[in-house]
Structure formats: structure tokens, C-alpha cells
Amino acid sequence: MCGIYGTTINYNESQIKDKLKRTSFRGPDQTGFEFYNSNESRIAFGHNRLSIIDLDPRSNQPFNYNHVHIVFNGEIFNFKSIREILKSKGYAFNTTSDTEVICAAYNEYGEDCVSHFNGMFGFVIYDEKKQILFGARDRLGQKPFYYYHNGKEFEFSSQISSIQTHHSNLSISEKAISYYLVWGNVPDPQSIFNEVKKLRAGHSFTFDLATGKFEDYQYWDIDYKNQNPFKGTFEDAKQELNSILKDAVSTRLFADVPVGVFLSGGVDSSLVAALATESTDSKINTFS
């Protein structure tokens, strides 16, 4: 699961540790933080790690790759194929993690790197050369991402409680309470605090360290207008659906820890379990 945190607010080391303690349940395997001195301010990055890929401490975060520094929560399912493409372009890798692949992909493709990722993710990169923070949330918002921006300072986290810790100027949003009472949730980009927002699904952002300017933009959306309709037959549709489901399950089976499947007793989880057993020679543990 992992938890990410970062800020340009001048918190001390003890305060950063307090904030990371609030998200320790997200990553019990390792907790780390680093300070980076930019031209304009001091940046703190923190991470609570749940080790899934490359269990070696070399992949602990915050992770540094040349002039790029990252905290990342999630998995990039197609990181192996991206790594091979980047290797052919001359990139070298010191780990077997998807974290390092994100950094190299950012160096190669810039902010468009997210269009190459098939996965669930929330990450932030500090680019020393450009003096910006660049971050993104996955296409359907599977991974959480909260942020605070007051026009100058910036803070982000996987959990709103980390931002709330040592903050004295957050106010409860009555609009968010209304949303919750009506719908049972608070829709993006709102949160329970007026001053804290959620990065919307399928969105990226940049934060300029020199000016304090924050800009978010959409990099992906569902094709609601059906601009690319399926033109095959019913049999073609069945074959393509089968291929998509097999690929979706098999790509999620890669891990350096045991993999299991939760069974609800319904069609969906049973289908996932069946495809998982077809995709690997290893025993798939199921739980219900």
C-alpha cells in the first residue's frame, strides 16, 4: 500500500516524524525521509514502505535518481517493458524496482511519462534542474492523494491526517459534510477541510518552487463520447475481452512476495482466481 508525504513548509525533523507516524500503517516495512535544499526553499520527502517489488533496501524511498527524487505509492504493472525500452535508449538501472523506472521514464518523456504507465499510483518527483515538483494520480484514482496549497507553500500526503498534524489553520468544510450526508462520500477535489484538496483521478500537476504556482491538468479520461467505437463482431468482442482480462490479471501477479486472491463468492472474484491459476505455475492462495 505505502504512504507518501512531502512539503515545502519549514517543519523540523521531529514534526516530519510525527506526520509519517500518522501513515505508518500504510507501510510497516520501512520509514524514511530526506530534506532537499532547493534554490527557493527546503523540501521534505517522506515515505512509509510496504515492500512488494525488489525487497532490497536499495529500493527504499525517498528514492534518488540523478537530479530526480521521488516518493511513490502503488505499482506500475508494465514497468518491465518500459525498462527494456529505456535500456535500449541507454538508461542504466541499479534496482529491479518500478520506482526507478518511473524516474528514468520522467527523464526520457517528461510530464508525458504518465501516459506510458499501466498501473495504480500516486507519486511526486522533485526535479532539481527545473526546480519543480511534478506529481500524478492514476487514471481511476485508486491511490489517494491529498494536498494543501496556500499560494506559496505546498504539502501533500496519502492521508489527510498527515497534513492535519501540526496545522493550525484548517477549517471544516460544511459543503463536504453535506456531500457526505447525501452521497456517503466527499467527491474529488473536495475534502473535509476547506484548505485541503484531493488531486483528481487521471490528473497530473506541477508546483513551481520559485513562484509557488500550482497547476493541475487532466492527462486521461474515459471516452464518454465514444470517439473510438469497437467495430468488430460479437465473437471479436469476446476474444478481445478475454485477452484484456488475462493481461490485466497476469500483469498484477508479479511480486517478490506471495500473492493471494480474496473470494467473495461472486462471478468477478472467481473469474480473477481462475485466470490467475492459468497465468502462473505457482500456487495461488485464496481467502474468503
Side-chain angles (χ1 to χ4, degrees):
M1 183 162 54
C2 296
I4 62 173
Y5 173 78
T7 185
T8 65
I9 300 172
N10 192 28
Y11 291 119
N12 61 41
E13 187 173 314
S14 175
Q15 290 172 317
I16 297 295
K17 287 180 178 179
D18 287 343
K19 287 174 174 289
L20 289 174
K21 197 176 294 182
R22 297 299 297 268
T23 56
S24 60
F25 69 94
R26 298 187 66 92
D29 296 324
Q30 184 262 345
T31 296
F33 65 91
E34 286 190 33
F35 291 105
Y36 306 101
N37 292 313
S38 75
N39 296 340
E40 308 298 331
S41 60
R42 187 173 75 160
I43 302 159
F45 269 10
H47 190 262
N48 299 110
R49 186 182 184 195
L50 177 67
S51 303
I52 296 175
I53 298 174
D54 193 358
L55 309 184
D56 194 280
R58 66 191 177 187
S59 291
N60 287 345
Q61 299 181 41
F63 187 86
N64 305 311
Y65 186 91
N66 299 328
H67 67 282
V68 168
H69 314 280
I70 188 173
V71 281
F72 160 54
N73 169 33
E75 287 186 63
I76 305 300
F77 303 127
N78 63 332
F79 81 99
K80 285 185 173 181
S81 60
I82 297 174
R83 186 174 61 194
E84 291 307 308
I85 293 171
L86 293 172
K87 277 185 176 180
S88 70
K89 294 177 178 288
Y91 287 86
F93 295 90
N94 297 314
T95 75
T96 56
S97 70
D98 48 354
T99 307
E100 189 173 24
V101 171
I102 294 176
C103 296
Y106 172 76
N107 279 347
E108 177 66 22
Y109 304 116
E111 295 169 20
D112 188 50
C113 63
V114 290
S115 66
H116 296 262
F117 300 152
N118 172 12
M120 51 179 183
F121 51 83
F123 68 83
V124 176
I125 286 172
Y126 165 43
D127 186 329
E128 283 185 21
K129 290 183 177 179
K130 293 184 178 179
Q131 286 296 294
I132 62 168
L133 299 182
F134 166 70
R137 190 179 181 196
D138 60 75
R139 290 168 178 78
L140 296 179
Q142 192 168 352
K143 292 300 178 183
F145 194 105
Y146 295 90
Y147 69 90
Y148 165 87
H149 178 236
N150 63 3
K152 181 181 180 182
E153 298 168 318
F154 184 70
E155 187 173 13
F156 66 87
S157 181
S158 298
Q159 301 283 149
I160 199 169
S161 56
S162 288
I163 297 175
Q164 182 184 11
T165 303
H166 296 300
H167 247 295
S168 58
N169 60 340
L170 301 183
S171 57
I172 297 294
S173 168
E174 294 183 2
K175 183 184 292 186
I177 293 174
S178 298
Y179 286 148
Y180 184 80
L181 292 175
V182 173
W183 295 322
N185 66 80
V186 181
D188 300 350
Q190 309 296 321
S191 85
I192 191 62
F193 296 115
N194 288 303
E195 297 80 10
V196 178
K197 305 298 180 186
K198 287 180 282 188
L199 184 64
R200 287 170 287 187
H203 278 64
S204 299
F205 75 86
T206 58
F207 175 76
D208 190 307
L209 291 162
T211 65
K213 184 178 182 181
F214 174 89
E215 288 185 293
D216 69 323
Y217 51 91
Q218 189 173 57
Y219 68 85
W220 181 87
D221 198 6
I222 294 172
D223 181 17
Y224 290 108
K225 296 182 179 179
N226 197 25
Q227 294 178 333
N228 299 293
F230 182 76
K231 297 180 180 179
T233 65
F234 179 64
E235 288 301 318
D236 293 335
K238 289 198 294 183
Q239 290 295 325
E240 183 164 340
L241 177 60
N242 184 55
S243 176
I244 290 171
L245 288 172
K246 283 184 175 180
D247 178 69
V249 172
S250 63
T251 55
R252 285 159 174 79
L253 292 178
F254 180 79
D256 294 324
V257 292
V259 176
V261 176
F262 283 115
L263 294 176
S264 65
V267 174
D268 294 350
S269 61
S270 300
L271 177 61
V272 169
L275 292 175
T277 57
E278 290 180 6
S279 301
T280 180
D281 294 328
S282 303
K283 182 181 179 181
I284 297 294
N285 295 311
T286 57
F287 305 87
S288 61

